[in-house]
Structure formats: C-alpha cells, structure tokens
Amino acid sequence: MQSNALSCSSSISIKKSTRVSTPFYRFNPISLSFPSRSHLFTSPYAISHSSSSSTRFPSTSLKGWLTTPSPVVPEPESDDGFQLHAAKNAGEIETSASLSNTLQLAFLFVLWFLFNIYFNIYNKQVLKVYPFPITVSTVQFAVGTLLVIIMWTFNLYKRPKISGAQLAAILPLALVHTLGNLFTNLSLGKVSVSFTHTVKAMEPFFSVVLSAMFLGETPTPLIVISLLPIVGGIALASMTEVSFNWIGFWSAMASNLTNQSRNVLSKKFMAKKEESLDNITLFSIITIMSFILCAPVSVLMEGIKVTPAYLQSVGLDAREVYIRSLLAAICFHAYQQVSYMILQRVSPVTHSVANSVKRVVVIVASVLFFRTPVSPINSLGTGIALAGVFLYSRVKGLKPKTT
C-alpha cells in the first residue's frame, strides 16, 4: 500500500552450546520464497517522434519567391485546423498523464502491500524470541522519527510550522496511535499473524460504533447488515484457531478500538480549517510524539533490554535481532507513509476496499511463510469475515438517496 536481491536467513542463534536454538525462519524479502521445513532452523544469516508531427503548423505561401507559376494554395479563413490539431495534442498529453498517474498509483499499491507483508513477518520473528512489545514499538517509533527528520532536513517534504494549539490537538491522536501499535505488537507476540489480522478485520464494527457515538453518523441498514458476517466470521475463526490466546485476542480487539478512535479524532481534527494539516504531515508529527510517549513507558515497564550484553546473556545473536528489528521498523513506517500517500490520491472508499484486499494478502502470505496450521472451519470463518469487510467497504461508498 508496493534490484538487488536481499536474502535473510531465518535464524537467530539462541544460547551457545547446549541449549536448543529458536532461530528465525529464512526469509527473502524480494522473492518471498518459502523454506522447506527441514531448513527452517539451520541456515546461517546472510543479507546476502512524433513530437515534430505534433507541432506541425500550416505551410505558408511561397508566392512572390518563385519565378515559375505554381498552384495557388488557398489560405485558410480561420485557424480551426490548428485548433483541432492542438486539441488532439492536448488529448494525447492528457491520456499520457492519466496513464502515468495510473502506473504511479499501481506502484504505490504494490509497495503498500509488500511493506505490510514484510513488516508482519519480520516483526513476528523478532517478537517470537524477544517478548518485549513495548520496547519493539519504541524502536519502530524511533526509526520512524529518524526518517521524518531526514525527510524534513533534506527538504524531501516541506517542514511544517506547528503552533502550540495544534500540538495540543494532535496529542490525543498520538496517544491512541501509540496504544494501537502497542496492542498490535502484543497480539502478534501471543498469536499467529493470520489470527491477529483476522481479529483486526473487526475494525469496521468499531468504526461504525464510534462514529455514531462521537460524530453523530447514523449507520444505514445496509451497513449494519454488512457487519453481521464480519462479527460471525471472526467468532467462527476464533473458536477454531490453533494459536488462540486470550491476551492475543483482546490485544487485537483493543488495537481495533484505539485505531478507530484515532480515525474519529482525525476527522474532527481535520474538520477544523485553522488547524488542518495534510495527511503526511499529520502522520509525521504523530510518529514523533508517539516515540516521545512510548520511550519512557518502555524503560519503566520493560527496562533497558536492547544492549548487546543483555541479548547475548539470553542466548540471542544481537546482530540478527538488530537487523530484523530495523527492517521491521523501516517497513512499519514505510507502509503507513505509503498508505497516506495513496489516501491523497484516491477516495476513502477506494482506500478502504484496497485495505480489505491487503489484509487478505497479508493473511495468506503469513500462513504460507510460517506454515500456520489452518483448519477448514477456521478458513471459512476468516473468509466470511473478510468478505464482510469487503461488503462493508462497498456499502460505505453508496450515497444515500435524496428525497
């Protein structure tokens, strides 16, 4: 939401000598090749002209310059021919620009999907052997903050001028954004990636409820009906989930609540013209504020457990943990940044539909990569829930009939 091959081994070596290792899976972030089961824990880690014709003018008369008689070419009484030619050129230019914009948008969608897949895989690999979700979230916000500073420093994006009143208005957004990512990481550390994203398909339900409560947006009967397969499908998938864990389940639900609260607050913030900022600028400021909010909480609740000495003391390869954490953090910031770039180019309904498709892609990719056991009933429940999300996205775009 879209070179040189980059290959990562799948293993973080855990304790030296006698203890059983719990390494990462092999992962090639370009080809997304899936390792055989016998090599999941043994491989070493390696990163490894027509332009002239388009501007042709009507020929001028040569009468008076020639000594021999020549056929007289009548002068045009108007410039309709030139206007027709210019209109044709303008149409060609417009078509070319439209094609270019379509290709750029398609490329952004591919990046959005790929960055999201890689984030979930790298993030799960880290959380599986390093169970400190607050610290992991802090690292992700820190890397995002660094990327924002680089972007502003080198004028890759205009540095905003923010007033104190705007910062105060953005603070609640940053708070729920921070909590949303904390809960997501907590869920990913407890259950499978596919199950976390299946539960996160409940986002439309929370969106409807919160919008009705705080924005006064009454849902139409069709929207209410579209929520039924979402709730029913997730209930069915939860009952048959192999990796089901109550902490993971409720963390994903809390992530839904906080993320949709952020969306509702964003609508209220963007509605104030004197405080309005573009989406990318708003996301950049939220990222910095989230790092400031998350860092002290991480130290207080989990301590400083990112030093090489600590990682080696628990049998982890510090280099591999750092590289995978960095890759996860870059993908985390990149997919959200690209998401906002897409949102500036398409309607919210189109973005919502694409997000539904993206969730399906992430679930399928994670199941294939991690070899997640999925029962037929679990697959059915997940499919029903995702179909409900797609239906909700389509119904949401229907304009109510005016009488």
Side-chain angles (χ1 to χ4, degrees):
M1 202 118 47
Q2 105 137 145
S3 57
N4 294 331
L6 176 69
S7 62
C8 302
S9 94
S10 43
S11 57
I12 282 188
S13 50
I14 313 274
K15 296 211 174 201
K16 300 179 180 179
S17 63
T18 57
R19 73 172 300 225
V20 179
S21 60
T22 311
F24 288 125
Y25 298 133
R26 179 197 301 266
F27 180 49
N28 185 328
I30 301 302
S31 64
L32 197 64
S33 59
F34 304 117
S36 63
R37 208 177 274 273
S38 61
H39 292 85
L40 288 179
F41 300 97
T42 59
S43 301
Y45 182 80
I47 299 271
S48 42
H49 326 270
S50 50
S51 59
S52 60
S53 63
S54 64
T55 55
R56 185 179 299 142
F57 289 82
S59 59
T60 56
S61 173
L62 300 178
K63 186 177 181 181
W65 291 93
L66 300 178
T67 58
T68 59
S70 60
V72 177
V73 178
E75 296 291 337
E77 296 180 357
S78 68
D79 59 349
D80 288 346
F82 177 76
Q83 291 177 353
L84 181 61
H85 202 77
K88 180 180 179 181
N89 292 337
E92 291 176 353
I93 293 174
E94 183 178 354
T95 302
S96 177
S98 176
L99 178 60
S100 175
N101 290 336
T102 301
L103 292 176
Q104 291 177 16
L105 183 60
F107 180 67
L108 288 176
F109 274 115
V110 171
L111 287 181
W112 187 27
F113 283 32
L114 291 179
F115 281 134
N116 206 288
I117 292 171
Y118 300 155
F119 162 70
N120 281 280
I121 291 178
Y122 283 129
N123 204 33
K124 177 63 176 180
Q125 289 177 329
V126 172
L127 289 168
K128 194 170 184 178
V129 297
Y130 183 79
F132 300 103
I134 304 179
T135 301
V136 170
S137 300
T138 302
V139 171
Q140 290 166 0
F141 290 134
V143 172
T145 298
L146 179 61
L147 293 175
V148 169
I149 293 174
I150 292 174
M151 182 175 65
W152 287 347
T153 301
F154 291 95
N155 293 321
L156 301 177
Y157 203 83
K158 184 178 179 181
R159 182 186 304 177
K161 295 181 179 179
I162 307 297
S163 64
Q166 286 177 315
L167 289 176
I170 296 174
L171 181 58
L173 290 173
L175 180 60
V176 292
H177 178 75
T178 304
L179 291 174
N181 287 286
L182 282 176
F183 285 127
T184 297
N185 283 334
L186 181 58
S187 178
L188 286 173
K190 296 294 183 179
V191 296
S192 66
V193 174
S194 58
F195 183 63
T196 294
H197 281 273
T198 299
V199 177
K200 284 174 69 64
M202 277 280 287
E203 284 182 350
F205 174 83
F206 287 93
S207 177
V208 170
V209 173
L210 293 175
S211 295
M213 291 175 59
F214 298 104
L215 299 179
E217 298 179 357
T218 303
T220 64
L222 286 177
I223 289 180
V224 175
I225 292 174
S226 70
L227 296 177
L228 297 179
I230 298 177
V231 177
I234 290 174
L236 185 61
S238 299
M239 290 188 297
T240 56
E241 172 62 31
V242 175
S243 68
F244 184 85
N245 176 282
W246 282 110
I247 296 178
F249 173 79
W250 287 115
S251 296
M253 294 292 281
S255 175
N256 288 333
L257 177 62
T258 51
N259 285 334
Q260 293 309 308
S261 298
R262 178 194 61 194
N263 293 343
V264 170
L265 291 173
S266 295
K267 288 182 180 179
K268 298 185 70 173
F269 176 82
M270 299 297 281
K272 300 178 181 179
K273 294 183 179 179
E274 68 276 6
E275 296 180 351
S276 180
L277 298 172
D278 66 89
N279 287 332
I280 296 178
T281 298
L282 181 60
F283 170 66
S284 299
I285 297 171
I286 287 175
T287 298
I288 296 174
M289 297 180 74
S290 294
F291 169 65
I292 296 173
L293 291 171
C294 197
V297 177
S298 172
V299 174
L300 290 174
M301 296 189 65
E302 295 181 347
I304 302 176
K305 293 183 172 63
V306 295
T307 61
Y310 173 80
L311 295 176
Q312 292 173 4
S313 69
V314 295
L316 296 175
D317 187 320
R319 177 177 174 274
E320 293 188 3
V321 173
Y322 292 155
I323 290 177
R324 279 177 166 76
S325 297
L326 178 61
L327 290 172
I330 292 174
C331 291
F332 170 75
H333 183 81
Y335 91 76
Q336 296 194 69
Q337 183 87 26
V338 172
S339 175
Y340 280 104
M341 293 171 65
I342 292 174
L343 190 57
Q344 288 186 334
R345 293 168 174 255
V346 302
S347 68
V349 174
T350 301
H351 189 275
S352 179
V353 172
N355 191 55
S356 303
V357 177
K358 181 210 69 179
R359 197 173 298 284
V360 174
V361 174
V362 170
I363 289 175
V364 173
S366 66
V367 168
L368 293 176
F369 181 78
F370 290 109
R371 311 283 182 171
T372 306
V374 180
S375 67
I377 298 179
N378 183 273
S379 300
L380 177 62
T382 301
I384 292 174
L386 295 175
V389 173
F390 182 80
L391 177 62
Y392 167 83
S393 301
R394 301 301 298 171
V395 170
K396 187 73 173 176
L398 296 178
K399 295 182 179 180
K401 296 182 179 179
T402 56
T403 55

Short mmCIF file of all heavy atoms in Angstrom, two decimals, residues 211-268:
data_model
loop_
_atom_site.label_atom_id
_atom_site.label_comp_id
_atom_site.label_asym_id
_atom_site.label_seq_id
_atom_site.Cartn_x
_atom_site.Cartn_y
_atom_site.Cartn_z
N SER A 211 -18.20 6.25 15.36
CA SER A 211 -18.70 7.36 14.55
C SER A 211 -20.11 7.76 14.97
O SER A 211 -20.46 8.94 14.97
CB SER A 211 -18.69 6.97 13.06
OG SER A 211 -17.37 6.77 12.61
N ALA A 212 -20.92 6.76 15.33
CA ALA A 212 -22.28 7.06 15.80
C ALA A 212 -22.24 7.77 17.15
O ALA A 212 -23.03 8.69 17.41
CB ALA A 212 -23.09 5.77 15.91
N MET A 213 -21.30 7.39 18.01
CA MET A 213 -21.23 7.96 19.36
C MET A 213 -20.67 9.38 19.36
O MET A 213 -21.17 10.26 20.07
CB MET A 213 -20.38 7.06 20.26
CG MET A 213 -21.01 5.72 20.58
SD MET A 213 -19.90 4.65 21.52
CE MET A 213 -19.60 5.65 22.98
N PHE A 214 -19.60 9.61 18.57
CA PHE A 214 -18.88 10.88 18.69
C PHE A 214 -19.05 11.81 17.49
O PHE A 214 -18.81 13.01 17.60
CB PHE A 214 -17.38 10.60 18.90
CG PHE A 214 -17.09 9.85 20.15
CD1 PHE A 214 -16.77 8.49 20.11
CD2 PHE A 214 -17.14 10.48 21.38
CE1 PHE A 214 -16.50 7.79 21.27
CE2 PHE A 214 -16.87 9.78 22.55
CZ PHE A 214 -16.55 8.44 22.50
N LEU A 215 -19.46 11.29 16.35
CA LEU A 215 -19.63 12.14 15.17
C LEU A 215 -21.10 12.26 14.76
O LEU A 215 -21.42 13.03 13.85
CB LEU A 215 -18.82 11.58 13.98
CG LEU A 215 -17.31 11.50 14.17
CD1 LEU A 215 -16.65 10.90 12.93
CD2 LEU A 215 -16.72 12.87 14.47
N GLY A 216 -21.97 11.51 15.42
CA GLY A 216 -23.39 11.58 15.09
C GLY A 216 -23.74 10.99 13.75
O GLY A 216 -24.77 11.34 13.16
N GLU A 217 -22.90 10.08 13.24
CA GLU A 217 -23.15 9.45 11.94
C GLU A 217 -23.96 8.17 12.14
O GLU A 217 -23.43 7.15 12.58
CB GLU A 217 -21.83 9.15 11.23
CG GLU A 217 -21.00 10.39 10.92
CD GLU A 217 -19.69 10.04 10.24
OE1 GLU A 217 -19.42 8.82 10.05
OE2 GLU A 217 -18.93 10.97 9.91
N THR A 218 -25.23 8.22 11.81
CA THR A 218 -26.10 7.05 11.99
C THR A 218 -25.90 6.08 10.83
O THR A 218 -26.01 6.47 9.66
CB THR A 218 -27.58 7.48 12.02
OG1 THR A 218 -27.76 8.44 13.07
CG2 THR A 218 -28.48 6.27 12.27
N PRO A 219 -25.57 4.83 11.11
CA PRO A 219 -25.33 3.87 10.02
C PRO A 219 -26.62 3.51 9.31
O PRO A 219 -27.69 3.44 9.92
CB PRO A 219 -24.73 2.66 10.74
CG PRO A 219 -25.28 2.74 12.14
CD PRO A 219 -25.37 4.22 12.43
N THR A 220 -26.52 3.25 8.03
CA THR A 220 -27.68 2.82 7.25
C THR A 220 -27.95 1.34 7.52
O THR A 220 -27.07 0.62 8.01
CB THR A 220 -27.43 3.02 5.75
OG1 THR A 220 -26.33 2.16 5.35
CG2 THR A 220 -27.07 4.46 5.45
N PRO A 221 -29.16 0.87 7.22
CA PRO A 221 -29.44 -0.57 7.42
C PRO A 221 -28.48 -1.48 6.67
O PRO A 221 -28.11 -2.55 7.17
CB PRO A 221 -30.87 -0.71 6.89
CG PRO A 221 -31.47 0.64 7.07
CD PRO A 221 -30.37 1.61 6.82
N LEU A 222 -28.05 -1.08 5.46
CA LEU A 222 -27.12 -1.90 4.70
C LEU A 222 -25.77 -2.03 5.41
O LEU A 222 -25.15 -3.10 5.39
CB LEU A 222 -26.93 -1.32 3.30
CG LEU A 222 -28.08 -1.52 2.31
CD1 LEU A 222 -27.77 -0.83 1.00
CD2 LEU A 222 -28.34 -3.00 2.09
N ILE A 223 -25.33 -0.94 6.02
CA ILE A 223 -24.05 -1.00 6.75
C ILE A 223 -24.17 -1.94 7.94
O ILE A 223 -23.27 -2.74 8.22
CB ILE A 223 -23.64 0.42 7.20
CG1 ILE A 223 -23.20 1.24 5.99
CG2 ILE A 223 -22.53 0.35 8.25
CD1 ILE A 223 -22.77 2.66 6.33
N VAL A 224 -25.28 -1.86 8.66
CA VAL A 224 -25.48 -2.75 9.81
C VAL A 224 -25.49 -4.20 9.36
O VAL A 224 -24.89 -5.08 9.99
CB VAL A 224 -26.80 -2.39 10.53
CG1 VAL A 224 -27.08 -3.40 11.64
CG2 VAL A 224 -26.72 -0.97 11.10
N ILE A 225 -26.16 -4.46 8.23
CA ILE A 225 -26.22 -5.85 7.72
C ILE A 225 -24.83 -6.34 7.32
O ILE A 225 -24.46 -7.50 7.56
CB ILE A 225 -27.18 -5.92 6.51
CG1 ILE A 225 -28.62 -5.68 6.97
CG2 ILE A 225 -27.06 -7.26 5.80
CD1 ILE A 225 -29.62 -5.58 5.83
N SER A 226 -24.00 -5.44 6.75
CA SER A 226 -22.65 -5.84 6.33
C SER A 226 -21.75 -6.19 7.51
O SER A 226 -20.75 -6.89 7.34
CB SER A 226 -22.01 -4.73 5.50
OG SER A 226 -21.69 -3.60 6.31
N LEU A 227 -22.11 -5.71 8.69
CA LEU A 227 -21.30 -6.01 9.87
C LEU A 227 -21.55 -7.42 10.39
O LEU A 227 -20.69 -7.98 11.09
CB LEU A 227 -21.59 -4.99 10.99
CG LEU A 227 -21.22 -3.53 10.71
CD1 LEU A 227 -21.64 -2.66 11.89
CD2 LEU A 227 -19.73 -3.39 10.45
N LEU A 228 -22.69 -8.00 10.07
CA LEU A 228 -23.04 -9.32 10.60
C LEU A 228 -22.05 -10.41 10.17
O LEU A 228 -21.59 -11.18 11.03
CB LEU A 228 -24.47 -9.69 10.19
CG LEU A 228 -25.57 -8.77 10.73
CD1 LEU A 228 -26.94 -9.24 10.23
CD2 LEU A 228 -25.54 -8.73 12.26
N PRO A 229 -21.69 -10.52 8.88
CA PRO A 229 -20.71 -11.55 8.52
C PRO A 229 -19.33 -11.29 9.12
O PRO A 229 -18.59 -12.25 9.37
CB PRO A 229 -20.68 -11.49 6.98
CG PRO A 229 -21.22 -10.15 6.64
CD PRO A 229 -22.22 -9.83 7.69
N ILE A 230 -19.00 -10.04 9.37
CA ILE A 230 -17.70 -9.75 10.00
C ILE A 230 -17.65 -10.32 11.41
O ILE A 230 -16.73 -11.06 11.77
CB ILE A 230 -17.46 -8.22 10.04
CG1 ILE A 230 -17.41 -7.65 8.63
CG2 ILE A 230 -16.16 -7.91 10.79
CD1 ILE A 230 -17.25 -6.14 8.58
N VAL A 231 -18.67 -10.01 12.19
CA VAL A 231 -18.71 -10.50 13.58
C VAL A 231 -18.83 -12.02 13.61
O VAL A 231 -18.12 -12.71 14.36
CB VAL A 231 -19.88 -9.84 14.34
CG1 VAL A 231 -19.98 -10.41 15.76
CG2 VAL A 231 -19.71 -8.32 14.38
N GLY A 232 -19.71 -12.57 12.79
CA GLY A 232 -19.90 -14.02 12.78
C GLY A 232 -18.67 -14.76 12.30
O GLY A 232 -18.30 -15.80 12.87
N GLY A 233 -18.02 -14.26 11.27
CA GLY A 233 -16.83 -14.92 10.74
C GLY A 233 -15.68 -14.92 11.74
O GLY A 233 -14.98 -15.94 11.89
N ILE A 234 -15.51 -13.82 12.44
CA ILE A 234 -14.42 -13.75 13.43
C ILE A 234 -14.73 -14.68 14.61
O ILE A 234 -13.83 -15.32 15.16
CB ILE A 234 -14.22 -12.30 13.90
CG1 ILE A 234 -13.62 -11.49 12.75
CG2 ILE A 234 -13.34 -12.23 15.14
CD1 ILE A 234 -13.50 -10.03 13.02
N ALA A 235 -15.97 -14.75 15.01
CA ALA A 235 -16.34 -15.69 16.09
C ALA A 235 -16.05 -17.12 15.67
O ALA A 235 -15.51 -17.93 16.46
CB ALA A 235 -17.81 -15.52 16.44
N LEU A 236 -16.37 -17.48 14.44
CA LEU A 236 -16.12 -18.83 13.95
C LEU A 236 -14.62 -19.12 13.86
O LEU A 236 -14.16 -20.21 14.25
CB LEU A 236 -16.77 -19.00 12.57
CG LEU A 236 -16.72 -20.39 11.94
CD1 LEU A 236 -17.45 -21.41 12.82
CD2 LEU A 236 -17.33 -20.37 10.54
N ALA A 237 -13.86 -18.15 13.37
CA ALA A 237 -12.41 -18.33 13.26
C ALA A 237 -11.76 -18.44 14.64
O ALA A 237 -10.81 -19.22 14.84
CB ALA A 237 -11.80 -17.17 12.48
N SER A 238 -12.26 -17.68 15.61
CA SER A 238 -11.68 -17.70 16.96
C SER A 238 -11.89 -19.05 17.64
O SER A 238 -11.02 -19.56 18.34
CB SER A 238 -12.29 -16.58 17.81
OG SER A 238 -12.01 -15.31 17.25
N MET A 239 -13.05 -19.64 17.42
CA MET A 239 -13.35 -20.92 18.07
C MET A 239 -12.48 -22.06 17.56
O MET A 239 -12.28 -23.04 18.26
CB MET A 239 -14.84 -21.27 17.88
CG MET A 239 -15.80 -20.38 18.65
SD MET A 239 -17.51 -20.97 18.58
CE MET A 239 -17.85 -20.83 16.82
N THR A 240 -11.97 -21.91 16.34
CA THR A 240 -11.19 -22.99 15.75
C THR A 240 -9.71 -22.62 15.56
O THR A 240 -8.99 -23.35 14.88
CB THR A 240 -11.79 -23.37 14.39
OG1 THR A 240 -11.85 -22.20 13.55
CG2 THR A 240 -13.20 -23.92 14.56
N GLU A 241 -9.27 -21.51 16.15
CA GLU A 241 -7.88 -21.08 15.99
C GLU A 241 -6.94 -21.91 16.85
O GLU A 241 -7.13 -22.03 18.07
CB GLU A 241 -7.76 -19.59 16.37
CG GLU A 241 -6.35 -19.06 16.42
CD GLU A 241 -5.63 -19.14 15.09
OE1 GLU A 241 -6.30 -19.03 14.04
OE2 GLU A 241 -4.41 -19.31 15.09
N VAL A 242 -5.91 -22.48 16.22
CA VAL A 242 -4.95 -23.33 16.93
C VAL A 242 -4.14 -22.52 17.94
O VAL A 242 -3.87 -22.96 19.05
CB VAL A 242 -4.02 -24.03 15.92
CG1 VAL A 242 -2.94 -24.82 16.65
CG2 VAL A 242 -4.83 -24.93 14.99
N SER A 243 -3.74 -21.31 17.55
CA SER A 243 -2.88 -20.49 18.41
C SER A 243 -3.68 -19.56 19.32
O SER A 243 -3.13 -18.59 19.84
CB SER A 243 -1.94 -19.65 17.54
OG SER A 243 -2.66 -18.67 16.81
N PHE A 244 -4.98 -19.84 19.51
CA PHE A 244 -5.82 -18.91 20.26
C PHE A 244 -5.26 -18.65 21.65
O PHE A 244 -4.85 -19.58 22.37
CB PHE A 244 -7.26 -19.44 20.38
CG PHE A 244 -8.19 -18.48 21.07
CD1 PHE A 244 -8.81 -17.47 20.36
CD2 PHE A 244 -8.40 -18.58 22.44
CE1 PHE A 244 -9.66 -16.57 20.99
CE2 PHE A 244 -9.25 -17.69 23.08
CZ PHE A 244 -9.89 -16.68 22.35
N ASN A 245 -5.25 -17.37 22.00
CA ASN A 245 -4.78 -16.93 23.32
C ASN A 245 -5.59 -15.70 23.67
O ASN A 245 -5.72 -14.78 22.86
CB ASN A 245 -3.28 -16.61 23.25
CG ASN A 245 -2.73 -16.05 24.54
OD1 ASN A 245 -2.92 -14.89 24.85
ND2 ASN A 245 -2.04 -16.89 25.30
N TRP A 246 -6.12 -15.67 24.90
CA TRP A 246 -7.00 -14.56 25.27
C TRP A 246 -6.28 -13.22 25.27
O TRP A 246 -6.86 -12.19 24.88
CB TRP A 246 -7.63 -14.82 26.64
CG TRP A 246 -8.77 -15.79 26.60
CD1 TRP A 246 -8.81 -17.05 27.10
CD2 TRP A 246 -10.06 -15.56 26.01
NE1 TRP A 246 -10.03 -17.64 26.87
CE2 TRP A 246 -10.83 -16.74 26.19
CE3 TRP A 246 -10.63 -14.48 25.33
CZ2 TRP A 246 -12.13 -16.87 25.73
CZ3 TRP A 246 -11.95 -14.61 24.87
CH2 TRP A 246 -12.67 -15.78 25.07
N ILE A 247 -5.02 -13.21 25.69
CA ILE A 247 -4.27 -11.95 25.67
C ILE A 247 -4.10 -11.47 24.23
O ILE A 247 -4.30 -10.28 23.93
CB ILE A 247 -2.89 -12.13 26.34
CG1 ILE A 247 -3.07 -12.46 27.83
CG2 ILE A 247 -2.04 -10.87 26.18
CD1 ILE A 247 -1.76 -12.71 28.55
N GLY A 248 -3.75 -12.39 23.34
CA GLY A 248 -3.60 -12.02 21.94
C GLY A 248 -4.91 -11.55 21.33
O GLY A 248 -4.94 -10.60 20.54
N PHE A 249 -6.03 -12.23 21.69
CA PHE A 249 -7.33 -11.87 21.14
C PHE A 249 -7.75 -10.48 21.60
O PHE A 249 -8.11 -9.61 20.79
CB PHE A 249 -8.38 -12.90 21.57
CG PHE A 249 -9.79 -12.54 21.20
CD1 PHE A 249 -10.25 -12.74 19.90
CD2 PHE A 249 -10.65 -11.99 22.14
CE1 PHE A 249 -11.55 -12.40 19.55
CE2 PHE A 249 -11.95 -11.65 21.79
CZ PHE A 249 -12.41 -11.85 20.50
N TRP A 250 -7.71 -10.24 22.91
CA TRP A 250 -8.17 -8.95 23.42
C TRP A 250 -7.20 -7.81 23.06
O TRP A 250 -7.63 -6.66 22.94
CB TRP A 250 -8.36 -9.02 24.94
CG TRP A 250 -9.59 -9.79 25.32
CD1 TRP A 250 -9.64 -10.98 26.00
CD2 TRP A 250 -10.95 -9.45 25.01
NE1 TRP A 250 -10.94 -11.40 26.15
CE2 TRP A 250 -11.77 -10.48 25.54
CE3 TRP A 250 -11.55 -8.39 24.34
CZ2 TRP A 250 -13.15 -10.46 25.43
CZ3 TRP A 250 -12.93 -8.37 24.23
CH2 TRP A 250 -13.72 -9.39 24.77
N SER A 251 -5.93 -8.13 22.87
CA SER A 251 -5.00 -7.10 22.42
C SER A 251 -5.34 -6.65 21.00
O SER A 251 -5.31 -5.45 20.69
CB SER A 251 -3.56 -7.63 22.47
OG SER A 251 -3.16 -7.91 23.79
N ALA A 252 -5.69 -7.61 20.14
CA ALA A 252 -6.10 -7.25 18.78
C ALA A 252 -7.39 -6.45 18.79
O ALA A 252 -7.55 -5.48 18.02
CB ALA A 252 -6.26 -8.51 17.93
N MET A 253 -8.33 -6.81 19.68
CA MET A 253 -9.58 -6.05 19.79
C MET A 253 -9.30 -4.64 20.31
O MET A 253 -9.90 -3.66 19.84
CB MET A 253 -10.55 -6.78 20.72
CG MET A 253 -11.03 -8.11 20.19
SD MET A 253 -12.11 -7.95 18.75
CE MET A 253 -13.64 -7.51 19.55
N ALA A 254 -8.39 -4.52 21.28
CA ALA A 254 -8.03 -3.19 21.80
C ALA A 254 -7.36 -2.36 20.72
O ALA A 254 -7.53 -1.14 20.65
CB ALA A 254 -7.12 -3.34 23.01
N SER A 255 -6.59 -3.02 19.86
CA SER A 255 -5.97 -2.32 18.75
C SER A 255 -7.03 -1.76 17.80
O SER A 255 -6.91 -0.63 17.30
CB SER A 255 -5.04 -3.27 17.99
OG SER A 255 -4.52 -2.66 16.84
N ASN A 256 -8.07 -2.55 17.55
CA ASN A 256 -9.18 -2.06 16.73
C ASN A 256 -9.81 -0.81 17.33
O ASN A 256 -10.07 0.17 16.64
CB ASN A 256 -10.26 -3.14 16.59
CG ASN A 256 -9.83 -4.29 15.70
OD1 ASN A 256 -9.01 -4.11 14.81
ND2 ASN A 256 -10.39 -5.46 15.94
N LEU A 257 -10.06 -0.87 18.63
CA LEU A 257 -10.70 0.25 19.32
C LEU A 257 -9.85 1.52 19.24
O LEU A 257 -10.35 2.60 18.92
CB LEU A 257 -10.98 -0.13 20.78
CG LEU A 257 -11.59 0.96 21.66
CD1 LEU A 257 -12.95 1.38 21.13
CD2 LEU A 257 -11.69 0.48 23.11
N THR A 258 -8.56 1.38 19.53
CA THR A 258 -7.70 2.57 19.55
C THR A 258 -7.46 3.11 18.14
O THR A 258 -7.44 4.33 17.93
CB THR A 258 -6.35 2.24 20.22
OG1 THR A 258 -5.79 1.06 19.61
CG2 THR A 258 -6.53 1.99 21.70
N ASN A 259 -7.29 2.21 17.17
CA ASN A 259 -7.05 2.68 15.80
C ASN A 259 -8.27 3.40 15.24
O ASN A 259 -8.13 4.42 14.56
CB ASN A 259 -6.67 1.51 14.89
CG ASN A 259 -5.25 1.04 15.12
OD1 ASN A 259 -4.39 1.78 15.57
ND2 ASN A 259 -4.99 -0.23 14.82
N GLN A 260 -9.44 2.90 15.51
CA GLN A 260 -10.65 3.57 15.02
C GLN A 260 -10.93 4.85 15.80
O GLN A 260 -11.48 5.81 15.26
CB GLN A 260 -11.85 2.63 15.07
CG GLN A 260 -11.75 1.46 14.11
CD GLN A 260 -11.44 1.90 12.69
OE1 GLN A 260 -12.10 2.78 12.13
NE2 GLN A 260 -10.41 1.31 12.09
N SER A 261 -10.53 4.88 17.06
CA SER A 261 -10.61 6.14 17.82
C SER A 261 -9.71 7.19 17.20
O SER A 261 -10.07 8.37 17.10
CB SER A 261 -10.20 5.90 19.28
OG SER A 261 -11.07 4.99 19.91
N ARG A 262 -8.54 6.77 16.74
CA ARG A 262 -7.63 7.68 16.06
C ARG A 262 -8.27 8.23 14.79
O ARG A 262 -8.17 9.42 14.49
CB ARG A 262 -6.33 6.96 15.70
CG ARG A 262 -5.32 7.80 14.92
CD ARG A 262 -4.25 6.92 14.34
NE ARG A 262 -4.82 5.94 13.40
CZ ARG A 262 -4.16 4.89 12.94
NH1 ARG A 262 -2.93 4.64 13.33
NH2 ARG A 262 -4.75 4.08 12.08
N ASN A 263 -8.95 7.37 14.04
CA ASN A 263 -9.60 7.83 12.81
C ASN A 263 -10.70 8.84 13.09
O ASN A 263 -10.86 9.83 12.37
CB ASN A 263 -10.16 6.63 12.04
CG ASN A 263 -9.07 5.72 11.50
OD1 ASN A 263 -7.91 6.11 11.43
ND2 ASN A 263 -9.44 4.50 11.15
N VAL A 264 -11.48 8.58 14.14
CA VAL A 264 -12.55 9.51 14.50
C VAL A 264 -11.96 10.85 14.95
O VAL A 264 -12.43 11.92 14.54
CB VAL A 264 -13.43 8.90 15.62
CG1 VAL A 264 -14.40 9.95 16.17
CG2 VAL A 264 -14.20 7.70 15.09
N LEU A 265 -10.92 10.80 15.77
CA LEU A 265 -10.28 12.03 16.21
C LEU A 265 -9.64 12.77 15.04
O LEU A 265 -9.62 14.01 15.01
CB LEU A 265 -9.23 11.72 17.28
CG LEU A 265 -9.77 11.22 18.64
CD1 LEU A 265 -8.63 10.78 19.54
CD2 LEU A 265 -10.59 12.32 19.31
N SER A 266 -9.11 12.02 14.09
CA SER A 266 -8.50 12.65 12.91
C SER A 266 -9.55 13.42 12.11
O SER A 266 -9.29 14.53 11.62
CB SER A 266 -7.85 11.60 12.02
OG SER A 266 -6.78 10.98 12.68
N LYS A 267 -10.75 12.84 11.98
CA LYS A 267 -11.81 13.53 11.25
C LYS A 267 -12.17 14.84 11.95
O LYS A 267 -12.37 15.87 11.30
CB LYS A 267 -13.05 12.63 11.16
CG LYS A 267 -12.90 11.46 10.21
CD LYS A 267 -14.20 10.66 10.15
CE LYS A 267 -14.06 9.47 9.19
NZ LYS A 267 -15.31 8.66 9.14
N LYS A 268 -12.26 14.81 13.26
CA LYS A 268 -12.60 16.02 13.99
C LYS A 268 -11.49 17.05 13.89
O LYS A 268 -11.74 18.25 13.77
CB LYS A 268 -12.88 15.69 15.46
CG LYS A 268 -14.05 14.74 15.68
CD LYS A 268 -14.36 14.53 17.14
CE LYS A 268 -14.95 15.78 17.77
NZ LYS A 268 -15.41 15.54 19.15
#
